[in-house]
Amino acid sequence: MAMKNTSDYIEEHIKAILDQVSVAELRRSELASRFEVVPSQINYVIKTRFTESRGYIVESKRGGGGYIRIGKVQFSDHHQMLQDL
């Protein structure tokens, strides 16, 4: 059984939030503080694990009032049919 790393825990935390709401608005600095990591690690997790190909839309604003919004794309049956073709 593989040990989880900090990135795995950050990913799980964000996914747990997304299970509760359709779009999560997060603060990079708050997540970094919670997991005791630098904000760039939060960026890394979001850029590598919350990609469009994995079904997520990410919107980000940097700066003092900055945020990260992550939403899960809901695909319809019609979309799946097109994918199958």
Side-chain angles (χ1 to χ4, degrees):
M1 186 165 141
M3 293 286 295
K4 288 187 181 184
N5 63 37
T6 305
S7 294
D8 294 331
Y9 289 112
I10 295 167
E11 177 185 13
E12 285 178 1
H13 177 74
I14 295 171
K15 285 181 175 179
I17 293 170
L18 286 168
D19 285 343
Q20 305 291 315
V21 296
S22 58
V23 177
E25 186 167 309
L26 311 166
R27 300 234 178 264
R28 192 177 286 109
S29 59
E30 288 175 13
L31 282 174
S33 175
R34 177 185 187 113
F35 290 97
E36 298 179 352
V37 298
V38 293
S40 61
Q41 184 158 359
I42 304 301
N43 291 342
Y44 169 79
V45 171
I46 289 166
K47 283 188 187 333
T48 60
R49 301 186 185 202
F50 293 89
T51 61
E52 283 185 28
S53 64
R54 290 185 176 194
Y56 296 94
I57 295 176
V58 177
E59 178 184 317
S60 176
K61 178 179 178 279
R62 294 184 180 267
Y67 59 81
I68 302 164
R69 284 190 189 122
I70 302 174
K72 182 105 172 99
V73 177
Q74 300 296 323
F75 294 110
S76 67
D77 291 340
H78 181 70
H79 180 271
Q80 187 58 50
M81 181 184 73
L82 292 175
Q83 287 283 84
D84 291 343
L85 293 175

